[in-house]
Amino acid sequence: MRDDKWLFQKLDEIWDNHFPDISQNNDVVIKFGRKARQRLGSIKQETKTHSDLLNKNRKTIITINGLFKDLEIPEYVVTATIAHEMCHYAHGFSSPLEQKFESPHLGGVVTKEMKLRGFEKELKLQKKWLKDIWPDYIKEKMPATRTRRRRRRVIIKWI
Ligand SMILES: [Zn+2]
């Protein structure tokens, strides 16, 4: 079963095996979020109050698409998503570490980092899966709402 505990174990494994040089100076939590068509994962730092912003060691929260609980989603898709968010952490985005780039996806820095850290295979497989399978998968699991699925107008002509 894939639950938040499973996610935490995955993150632990990924961190130990692929990011051993990245120190953890704050609490990091990972959890499944809402089901989403487009967003696979996200990373942010908790800000409950304005003064939290001054604390660079505040908690990091990694959220993974709720659809990924489904065992039909290959594990490499989840692995690549967690690794992606971990690259942001390593680059100092939503983490206490020094920020390495001006913006999180500048010039493909995440892809480069993932390859350097041994996720080339997962990256390739994830990309292919997202292209070949994901569109039909979300069509089935998250059908468009009525307002989006506009009824085709029936035109009756009287001759
Ligand atoms: Zn990203």
Side-chain angles (χ1 to χ4, degrees), residues 27-148:
D27 286 337
V28 178
V29 298
I30 185 164
K31 59 186 175 63
F32 282 112
R34 295 165 41 173
K35 296 174 178 177
R37 289 181 181 83
Q38 294 191 349
R39 188 183 274 199
L40 309 182
S42 67
I43 186 167
K44 62 173 188 186
Q45 267 185 301
E46 192 171 65
T47 40
K48 281 180 177 163
T49 66
H50 196 69
S51 61
D52 281 348
L53 288 167
L54 300 169
N55 175 18
K56 70 185 178 79
N57 291 323
R58 64 194 192 276
K59 193 195 276 182
T60 293
I61 302 163
I62 298 172
T63 308
I64 302 296
N65 192 337
L67 287 170
F68 291 1
K69 283 181 200 167
D70 186 353
L71 294 171
E72 261 186 62
I73 310 290
E75 199 166 320
Y76 58 73
V77 172
V78 189
T79 302
T81 303
I82 298 173
H84 178 109
E85 303 309 335
M86 263 309 292
C87 289
H88 287 319
Y89 187 94
H91 292 162
F93 292 101
S94 305
S95 84
L97 300 167
E98 196 192 330
Q99 196 177 307
K100 284 192 172 175
F101 306 101
E102 224 172 284
S103 68
H105 295 108
L106 190 76
V109 288
V110 172
T111 305
K112 275 180 212 158
E113 190 76 45
M114 282 184 73
K115 286 179 180 168
L116 277 172
R117 292 185 179 271
F119 291 102
E120 187 149 21
K121 197 182 89 192
E122 282 86 354
L123 201 58
K124 210 180 249 177
L125 288 169
Q126 184 197 41
K127 203 174 164 194
K128 185 168 165 47
W129 190 88
L130 287 174
K131 187 171 143 272
D132 296 346
I133 313 289
W134 185 241
D136 285 339
Y137 180 88
I138 50 173
K139 229 178 263 171
E140 190 199 319
K141 305 282 174 173
M142 296 188 75
T145 55
R146 191 122 58 126
T147 47
R148 299 185 63 178

